[in-house]
Amino acid sequence: MITMLAASSVVNSNLACSSRISSCSDFTSGHSWRPIEAVKLHRRAVSSIRISCAATKPAKTPAEEEWKVKRQLLAEKRVRSVDVKEALRLQKENNFVILDVRPEAEFKEAHPPGAINVQIYRLIKEWTAWDIARRAAFAFFGIFAGTEENPEFIQSVDVKVGKNAKIIVACSTGGTLKPTQNFPDGKQSRSLIAAYLLVLNGYSNVYHLEGGLYTWFKEGLPAVEGEE
């Protein structure tokens, strides 16, 4: 389990915190109540209150599995990569569905005609201690729109696409299953993580867009804006 310290001072918070009182205050002595670090038995007891709010990370999800494990399953399930022109042909001639797993905002800016958007990562929605800690971590690096795995990804694909569909999964960069000099085990991407989750949940006709939608737009293939 990974524990991140969310706060270490006395705060007015709704978080579930663990409290430890080191000693009790001597309210009858007339002395002011002052926190100290330690109390010896032969000295007058004074108060020391320490409150720490711990945010514990949930158990690892399938999307967080090691890339080598994902890549092995994708190979076993024969998930094939196709370039952008082949993807366009398959969409037009063989009724393939382009599943765009980018965030909704990116999808609305531009996407292939007929593509269906189900984001694999979404903006952090909840306000648990762990979510607050993650927001703080993103903010530390100047990122104020932190994302999290979309827990409804598979359910949404089931509704919008269906398990019998022939799917080409697409994201911005695409990643690759092919070994290269810099990436001997290939390179992970949002679309490959999505493909892994799909085959893990019983989808059998899953392809991957090599080069991603960046290459699609760069080569001037059809694109539309907004929602369809």
Side-chain angles (χ1 to χ4, degrees):
M1 300 290 284
I2 299 174
T3 300
M4 183 180 297
L5 187 64
S8 59
S9 59
V10 179
V11 294
N12 178 17
S13 173
N14 292 324
L15 300 177
C17 303
S18 60
S19 304
R20 182 179 66 189
I21 301 179
S22 301
S23 62
C24 58
S25 301
D26 184 5
F27 292 106
T28 62
S29 66
H31 293 282
S32 61
W33 183 60
R34 296 187 301 271
I36 62 172
E37 295 180 357
V39 178
K40 294 183 179 179
L41 293 177
H42 65 278
R43 294 182 180 178
R44 179 179 296 172
V46 293
S47 170
S48 173
I49 298 178
R50 295 179 184 178
I51 297 178
S52 61
C53 301
T56 304
K57 182 180 179 180
K60 184 169 71 172
T61 66
E64 296 173 317
E65 185 59 81
E66 292 183 7
W67 166 235
K68 288 185 178 181
V69 174
K70 295 193 189 88
R71 185 171 181 263
Q72 181 179 351
L73 182 65
L74 291 171
E76 290 174 359
K77 297 296 183 178
R78 298 184 179 180
V79 173
R80 185 166 67 90
S81 297
V82 294
D83 63 32
V84 294
K85 291 182 179 178
E86 177 68 3
L88 179 61
R89 186 189 69 78
L90 290 172
Q91 184 194 34
K92 286 184 174 181
E93 299 177 8
N94 298 87
N95 296 319
F96 273 68
V97 175
I98 295 178
L99 179 62
D100 188 337
V101 300
R102 297 176 300 160
E104 184 179 350
E106 293 182 31
F107 177 81
K108 288 181 178 179
E109 287 180 4
H111 59 267
I116 294 176
N117 179 230
V118 180
Q119 53 190 4
I120 189 170
Y121 293 101
R122 67 181 187 185
L123 294 177
I124 298 173
K125 288 187 175 183
E126 304 299 329
W127 287 93
T128 65
W130 173 246
D131 294 318
I132 291 172
R134 287 191 299 163
R135 280 185 170 90
F138 277 114
F140 180 81
F141 292 100
I143 302 171
F144 297 98
T147 59
E148 64 182 357
E149 183 182 343
N150 179 7
E152 300 171 354
F153 175 72
I154 292 296
Q155 181 182 354
S156 297
V157 177
D158 287 345
V159 173
K160 293 184 176 182
V161 182
K163 288 190 175 181
N164 294 325
K166 295 173 285 188
I167 301 172
I168 301 172
V169 191
C171 67
S172 295
T173 58
T176 183
L177 290 168
K178 301 174 184 176
T180 64
Q181 184 175 356
N182 293 330
F183 302 101
D185 294 315
K187 186 178 181 182
Q188 187 169 220
S189 67
R190 288 178 293 184
S191 56
L192 285 171
I193 294 173
Y196 171 77
L197 294 179
L198 290 173
V199 298
L200 202 62
N201 284 274
Y203 284 77
S204 57
N205 295 307
V206 180
Y207 290 65
H208 157 251
L209 185 64
E210 187 85 25
L213 292 170
Y214 169 81
T215 303
W216 181 288
F217 301 138
K218 183 180 178 181
E219 295 198 8
L221 298 186
V224 294
E225 298 178 1
E227 296 185 23
E228 295 184 66

